Amino acid sequence: MPPSQTHLPHYERPPVIEVVCGIQFASPAGFGSVHFGRFYDRVRREFPDSEEQSPLTEAFEGPLGVQAQAQIAFDLPPLRRVFFKTTDGNFLLQVQPTRFLANWRRVRDTDEYPRFSAAFDRFRRGWAEFLAMLKEEGLAVPRANQYELTYINHLAQPGDTFPAAMPKYLRSVPWAMQPEGLLKNPKAAMSRVTFPLTDAAGSLHVTANHGVRAQDQKPVMVVDMTARGAAAEDWSDLENWFNVAHEHIVSGFTELTTDEAHRLWKRVQ
């Protein structure tokens, strides 16, 4: 973690289950299916497993949030998105013609979050390998247009049911403010709020929704915190942007959640 961010809130048992660092860019001319294989040759020692997925839609952050989404248009046949995964499945790189992402994800309940610095380091090293591959193949340097940082959290304790338990974790839940009112625990609830990042660096989108975990049908509340913002074409502002986004996500999460929840997650700072 950069020295300027050592003041951020810290938990011994954070509820984060996934962190995604990403950069979006204009597709380099000539990029084709063969280049997924060329990249795999460079990273297969660390990421030996692969998986194919449909490409993500491009998203562009505007003054009011994500204002427009355009379907990715490629020459036929369409190029896909490929995951390159570590053997344990905790870390992965995602490559498609207009995006490069690096994820840490909790696969097993015993997996410990390695902290942002570890996830961001994999992103930077993977991006450097991707650029080196493009150069080796004689392709143009991509022009970046947007950064993205996402934290996904699962909030739950034994006995919790949602959305009834949302006030236990989130501040200012409306039905928790009127305990004697006619409206009691709702049957369904979803919250979405967008905050600006400092220095017009983009936006932070926070959503909270309830559901069940696929692996064990355990009720959970999912809190997704996604920051997006414009990138310099040469990504020279990459380090600074991710520092700003990370600070907003970590501090913002603490500001939006309750003291009771902080004790459950063993806040130490």
Side-chain angles (χ1 to χ4, degrees), residues 127-143:
W127 176 240
E129 289 289 353
F130 183 70
L131 295 174
M133 181 276 294
L134 295 178
K135 181 178 180 180
E136 188 175 83
E137 294 297 307
L139 300 182
V141 175
R143 291 180 289 108

mmCIF file of all heavy atoms in Angstrom, residues 127-143:
data_model
loop_
_atom_site.group_PDB
_atom_site.id
_atom_site.type_symbol
_atom_site.label_atom_id
_atom_site.label_comp_id
_atom_site.label_asym_id
_atom_site.label_seq_id
_atom_site.Cartn_x
_atom_site.Cartn_y
_atom_site.Cartn_z
ATOM 1 N N TRP A 127 -0.424 -6.259 -16.912
ATOM 2 C CA TRP A 127 -0.542 -5.216 -17.934
ATOM 3 C C TRP A 127 0.803 -5.020 -18.648
ATOM 4 O O TRP A 127 0.848 -4.870 -19.876
ATOM 5 C CB TRP A 127 -1.028 -3.922 -17.291
ATOM 6 C CG TRP A 127 -1.125 -2.718 -18.185
ATOM 7 C CD1 TRP A 127 -0.465 -1.546 -18.039
ATOM 8 C CD2 TRP A 127 -1.971 -2.552 -19.343
ATOM 9 N NE1 TRP A 127 -0.823 -0.652 -19.019
ATOM 10 C CE2 TRP A 127 -1.750 -1.249 -19.840
ATOM 11 C CE3 TRP A 127 -2.872 -3.380 -20.002
ATOM 12 C CZ2 TRP A 127 -2.401 -0.745 -20.964
ATOM 13 C CZ3 TRP A 127 -3.528 -2.885 -21.136
ATOM 14 C CH2 TRP A 127 -3.295 -1.590 -21.610
ATOM 15 N N ALA A 128 1.890 -5.044 -17.897
ATOM 16 C CA ALA A 128 3.216 -4.914 -18.509
ATOM 17 C C ALA A 128 3.492 -6.073 -19.464
ATOM 18 O O ALA A 128 4.064 -5.875 -20.552
ATOM 19 C CB ALA A 128 4.294 -4.839 -17.428
ATOM 20 N N GLU A 129 3.094 -7.283 -19.089
ATOM 21 C CA GLU A 129 3.278 -8.442 -19.976
ATOM 22 C C GLU A 129 2.406 -8.320 -21.225
ATOM 23 O O GLU A 129 2.817 -8.686 -22.327
ATOM 24 C CB GLU A 129 2.940 -9.740 -19.228
ATOM 25 C CG GLU A 129 3.950 -10.133 -18.167
ATOM 26 C CD GLU A 129 5.268 -10.613 -18.753
ATOM 27 O OE1 GLU A 129 5.380 -10.765 -19.988
ATOM 28 O OE2 GLU A 129 6.202 -10.831 -17.955
ATOM 29 N N PHE A 130 1.196 -7.810 -21.064
ATOM 30 C CA PHE A 130 0.306 -7.621 -22.210
ATOM 31 C C PHE A 130 0.905 -6.618 -23.189
ATOM 32 O O PHE A 130 0.920 -6.852 -24.406
ATOM 33 C CB PHE A 130 -1.059 -7.142 -21.719
ATOM 34 C CG PHE A 130 -2.078 -6.971 -22.806
ATOM 35 C CD1 PHE A 130 -2.624 -8.068 -23.464
ATOM 36 C CD2 PHE A 130 -2.510 -5.703 -23.173
ATOM 37 C CE1 PHE A 130 -3.568 -7.915 -24.468
ATOM 38 C CE2 PHE A 130 -3.459 -5.533 -24.166
ATOM 39 C CZ PHE A 130 -3.993 -6.644 -24.816
ATOM 40 N N LEU A 131 1.426 -5.509 -22.662
ATOM 41 C CA LEU A 131 2.051 -4.509 -23.525
ATOM 42 C C LEU A 131 3.291 -5.076 -24.212
ATOM 43 O O LEU A 131 3.534 -4.805 -25.400
ATOM 44 C CB LEU A 131 2.426 -3.276 -22.699
ATOM 45 C CG LEU A 131 1.265 -2.488 -22.090
ATOM 46 C CD1 LEU A 131 1.793 -1.384 -21.194
ATOM 47 C CD2 LEU A 131 0.374 -1.911 -23.188
ATOM 48 N N ALA A 132 4.073 -5.866 -23.476
ATOM 49 C CA ALA A 132 5.270 -6.470 -24.069
ATOM 50 C C ALA A 132 4.890 -7.428 -25.195
ATOM 51 O O ALA A 132 5.579 -7.499 -26.223
ATOM 52 C CB ALA A 132 6.072 -7.198 -22.991
ATOM 53 N N MET A 133 3.793 -8.162 -25.021
ATOM 54 C CA MET A 133 3.331 -9.063 -26.070
ATOM 55 C C MET A 133 2.934 -8.284 -27.315
ATOM 56 O O MET A 133 3.282 -8.648 -28.442
ATOM 57 C CB MET A 133 2.159 -9.901 -25.557
ATOM 58 C CG MET A 133 1.589 -10.910 -26.563
ATOM 59 S SD MET A 133 0.376 -10.211 -27.716
ATOM 60 C CE MET A 133 -0.966 -9.798 -26.591
ATOM 61 N N LEU A 134 2.178 -7.186 -27.129
ATOM 62 C CA LEU A 134 1.771 -6.378 -28.276
ATOM 63 C C LEU A 134 2.979 -5.841 -29.035
ATOM 64 O O LEU A 134 3.025 -5.868 -30.275
ATOM 65 C CB LEU A 134 0.889 -5.213 -27.812
ATOM 66 C CG LEU A 134 -0.469 -5.566 -27.188
ATOM 67 C CD1 LEU A 134 -1.181 -4.289 -26.752
ATOM 68 C CD2 LEU A 134 -1.345 -6.343 -28.167
ATOM 69 N N LYS A 135 3.967 -5.380 -28.299
ATOM 70 C CA LYS A 135 5.172 -4.847 -28.934
ATOM 71 C C LYS A 135 5.905 -5.937 -29.699
ATOM 72 O O LYS A 135 6.349 -5.730 -30.840
ATOM 73 C CB LYS A 135 6.090 -4.234 -27.870
ATOM 74 C CG LYS A 135 7.362 -3.623 -28.441
ATOM 75 C CD LYS A 135 8.196 -2.989 -27.335
ATOM 76 C CE LYS A 135 9.472 -2.371 -27.919
ATOM 77 N NZ LYS A 135 10.294 -1.741 -26.846
ATOM 78 N N GLU A 136 6.031 -7.108 -29.088
ATOM 79 C CA GLU A 136 6.716 -8.232 -29.729
ATOM 80 C C GLU A 136 6.009 -8.653 -31.015
ATOM 81 O O GLU A 136 6.662 -9.076 -31.988
ATOM 82 C CB GLU A 136 6.773 -9.407 -28.760
ATOM 83 C CG GLU A 136 7.621 -10.561 -29.223
ATOM 84 C CD GLU A 136 7.726 -11.638 -28.163
ATOM 85 O OE1 GLU A 136 6.787 -12.467 -28.085
ATOM 86 O OE2 GLU A 136 8.713 -11.619 -27.400
ATOM 87 N N GLU A 137 4.683 -8.529 -31.036
ATOM 88 C CA GLU A 137 3.898 -8.915 -32.204
ATOM 89 C C GLU A 137 3.766 -7.784 -33.222
ATOM 90 O O GLU A 137 3.092 -7.940 -34.242
ATOM 91 C CB GLU A 137 2.506 -9.365 -31.758
ATOM 92 C CG GLU A 137 2.503 -10.639 -30.939
ATOM 93 C CD GLU A 137 3.012 -11.825 -31.729
ATOM 94 O OE1 GLU A 137 2.493 -12.066 -32.839
ATOM 95 O OE2 GLU A 137 3.940 -12.500 -31.245
ATOM 96 N N GLY A 138 4.383 -6.646 -32.959
ATOM 97 C CA GLY A 138 4.345 -5.539 -33.903
ATOM 98 C C GLY A 138 3.026 -4.792 -33.928
ATOM 99 O O GLY A 138 2.716 -4.106 -34.918
ATOM 100 N N LEU A 139 2.235 -4.881 -32.846
ATOM 101 C CA LEU A 139 0.959 -4.178 -32.779
ATOM 102 C C LEU A 139 1.137 -2.819 -32.101
ATOM 103 O O LEU A 139 2.075 -2.607 -31.333
ATOM 104 C CB LEU A 139 -0.069 -5.001 -32.005
ATOM 105 C CG LEU A 139 -0.388 -6.389 -32.578
ATOM 106 C CD1 LEU A 139 -1.466 -7.069 -31.743
ATOM 107 C CD2 LEU A 139 -0.816 -6.300 -34.036
ATOM 108 N N ALA A 140 0.221 -1.924 -32.389
ATOM 109 C CA ALA A 140 0.311 -0.576 -31.856
ATOM 110 C C ALA A 140 0.075 -0.562 -30.346
ATOM 111 O O ALA A 140 -0.638 -1.417 -29.805
ATOM 112 C CB ALA A 140 -0.713 0.329 -32.544
ATOM 113 N N VAL A 141 0.651 0.414 -29.686
ATOM 114 C CA VAL A 141 0.403 0.613 -28.256
ATOM 115 C C VAL A 141 -1.051 1.041 -28.090
ATOM 116 O O VAL A 141 -1.529 1.952 -28.774
ATOM 117 C CB VAL A 141 1.340 1.699 -27.688
ATOM 118 C CG1 VAL A 141 0.990 1.992 -26.230
ATOM 119 C CG2 VAL A 141 2.787 1.274 -27.824
ATOM 120 N N PRO A 142 -1.814 0.385 -27.218
ATOM 121 C CA PRO A 142 -3.225 0.754 -27.052
ATOM 122 C C PRO A 142 -3.380 2.141 -26.434
ATOM 123 O O PRO A 142 -2.533 2.601 -25.666
ATOM 124 C CB PRO A 142 -3.770 -0.334 -26.110
ATOM 125 C CG PRO A 142 -2.576 -0.841 -25.378
ATOM 126 C CD PRO A 142 -1.428 -0.740 -26.336
ATOM 127 N N ARG A 143 -4.476 2.807 -26.793
ATOM 128 C CA ARG A 143 -4.815 4.111 -26.222
ATOM 129 C C ARG A 143 -5.866 3.903 -25.141
ATOM 130 O O ARG A 143 -6.994 3.536 -25.419
ATOM 131 C CB ARG A 143 -5.332 5.048 -27.318
ATOM 132 C CG ARG A 143 -4.259 5.463 -28.319
ATOM 133 C CD ARG A 143 -4.803 6.395 -29.398
ATOM 134 N NE ARG A 143 -5.679 5.680 -30.326
ATOM 135 C CZ ARG A 143 -6.994 5.814 -30.365
ATOM 136 N NH1 ARG A 143 -7.609 6.625 -29.498
ATOM 137 N NH2 ARG A 143 -7.716 5.151 -31.240
#
